[in-house]
Amino acid sequence: MSASIKESLQLQLLEMEMLFSMFPNQGEVKLEDVNALTNIKRYLEGTREALPHNIEFVITLQIEEPKVTIDLQVTMPHSYPYVALQLFGRSPELDRQQQLLLNQGLTAYLGTFDPGELCVCAAIQWLQDNSASYFLNRKLTDEPSTQAKPVKNTFLRMWIYSHHIYQQDLRKKILEVGKRLDVTGFCMTGKPGIICVEGFKDHCEEFWHTIRYPNWKHISCKHAESVETEGNGEDLRLFHSFEELLLEAHGDYGLRNDYHMNLGQFLEFLRKHKSEHVFQILFGIESKSSES
């Protein structure tokens, strides 16, 4: 176990203790995996060998003025707080544009923190102190400004790994959410299941939040690539739409179509879309070995 990962996980447990003391009522802090903290403690004690899943949770914040709620979705990468948090705030009282601006403001604020600083509590405080203006000033933000400065956006590409993707209703949901949020990429069905989603950061994070909650357990974001842009991001896209990717299978074993997808074909697909480097990240093997 590297010292940096160990130190990061210890700090994460410390911050989770602070959060549970701030939100002591049952259900205020909703862990995606109820065993996540126990597994990390076992890993740090040496009684568990495998690196546990990231800590992922949702905190529902009550904003006093106006009387609204914000759900703050948080994912702590294993190296947080030495790398950035993945977090996204959403509220049924905000339209998409206001939600985008809220998250841009929150991200910009957290960007002022130095590596190694815990910042979930600070993010919560920022939302409690600053979110009211995003609810109260919709008309003002809708009006065009003659002195508007170019807005920098983060273009994000997420590579998502699932043990399998079979169910028709889940496949339909993934495609519908992808097209609704104006993201591009693909969903490779079968075993394993791979999803790539690219677009503005807020749209990708909303996609991730929507498809996996409330009960998709065997799924993780293996890799993310981001770049700042003042444009619409079209020149950064590797894919032109969001589609389902169907490849040949290596046989059907008779149990709910439990077959393995042809990873050689998948590697060729990645090469065509300038993404061959992701193959090793997703599967832990060099791309050359898939050709044998």
Side-chain angles (χ1 to χ4, degrees):
M1 181 192 331
S2 68
S4 59
I5 292 293
K6 180 178 179 180
E7 180 183 355
S8 297
L9 293 178
Q10 289 171 335
L11 289 171
Q12 290 177 28
L13 291 179
L14 176 63
E15 187 160 41
M16 292 307 299
E17 288 181 12
M18 290 189 289
L19 289 173
F20 282 117
S21 67
M22 292 170 59
F23 300 90
N25 298 325
Q26 185 174 4
E28 287 184 306
V29 180
K30 301 171 217 174
L31 285 167
E32 167 63 13
D33 180 357
V34 295
N35 297 315
L37 304 186
T38 299
N39 288 337
I40 288 178
K41 290 176 183 177
R42 291 175 54 205
Y43 180 75
L44 293 174
E45 292 166 355
T47 58
R48 174 190 170 106
E49 293 184 6
L51 187 64
H53 292 302
N54 294 330
I55 300 175
E56 299 174 284
F57 57 93
V58 176
I59 297 178
T60 299
L61 304 177
Q62 305 291 334
I63 307 301
E64 292 302 317
E65 183 59 42
K67 289 281 186 181
V68 294
T69 61
I70 297 177
D71 284 338
L72 180 63
Q73 177 202 343
V74 181
T75 298
M76 293 178 169
H78 289 130
S79 295
Y80 165 79
Y82 297 98
V83 300
L85 271 176
Q86 298 171 15
L87 76 174
F88 185 80
R90 62 193 305 161
S91 172
E93 303 299 324
L94 290 174
D95 59 34
R96 183 183 294 183
Q97 178 65 16
Q98 289 303 307
Q99 194 163 267
L100 175 65
L101 292 173
L102 173 73
N103 282 286
Q104 286 177 341
L106 177 58
T107 300
Y109 170 67
L110 295 181
T112 64
F113 282 67
D114 293 328
E117 290 188 84
L118 297 170
C119 55
V120 177
C121 295
I124 292 170
Q125 189 63 53
W126 187 92
L127 287 170
Q128 291 173 333
D129 293 342
N130 297 278
S131 62
S133 61
Y134 295 91
F135 293 92
L136 298 176
N137 297 328
R138 290 188 185 184
K139 290 185 178 180
L140 292 177
T141 57
D142 288 340
E143 295 175 359
S145 171
T146 57
Q147 299 180 346
K149 296 181 179 179
V151 177
K152 284 192 175 182
N153 291 305
T154 300
F155 184 88
L156 180 65
R157 184 176 301 109
M158 302 175 71
W159 296 91
I160 299 165
Y161 180 97
S162 175
H163 179 264
H164 62 266
I165 301 176
Y166 293 129
Q167 297 179 356
Q168 288 290 342
D169 56 345
L170 176 60
R171 292 160 61 180
K172 181 180 178 182
K173 176 183 178 181
I174 291 171
L175 291 175
E176 288 177 346
V177 174
K179 292 175 180 179
R180 173 173 62 84
L181 292 174
D182 191 32
V183 295
T184 52
F186 66 87
C187 171
M188 185 180 81
T189 59
K191 181 179 181 180
I194 304 295
I195 302 172
C196 175
V197 58
E198 59 179 8
F200 285 140
K201 179 174 183 287
D202 302 89
H203 294 170
C204 290
E205 290 181 344
E206 184 173 353
F207 173 92
W208 175 232
H209 175 87
T210 303
I211 66 164
R212 68 186 307 251
Y213 282 96
N215 53 13
W216 193 347
K217 301 298 183 185
H218 302 291
I219 186 172
S220 61
C221 179
K222 288 275 192 176
H223 183 54
E225 304 159 338
S226 64
V227 62
E228 295 292 323
T229 178
E230 292 181 358
N232 58 14
E234 292 303 313
D235 58 324
L236 300 173
R237 296 184 188 268
L238 298 180
F239 305 91
H240 301 297
S241 60
F242 191 86
E243 304 291 344
E244 189 170 63
L245 176 62
L246 299 173
L247 301 178
E248 294 178 1
H250 279 305
D252 185 344
Y253 301 105
L255 298 173
R256 20 175 219 101
N257 294 325
D258 194 10
Y259 49 78
H260 290 265
M261 302 312 296
N262 189 316
L263 297 187
Q265 287 187 357
F266 183 54
L267 175 58
E268 287 304 313
F269 174 80
L270 292 178
R271 284 175 175 157
K272 290 178 181 178
H273 292 86
K274 303 178 182 179
S275 301
E276 181 181 354
H277 65 286
V278 179
F279 191 87
Q280 183 177 5
I281 296 172
L282 292 173
F283 304 111
I285 55 178
E286 295 285 352
S287 60
K288 291 186 297 183
S289 63
S290 66
E291 298 171 351
S292 58

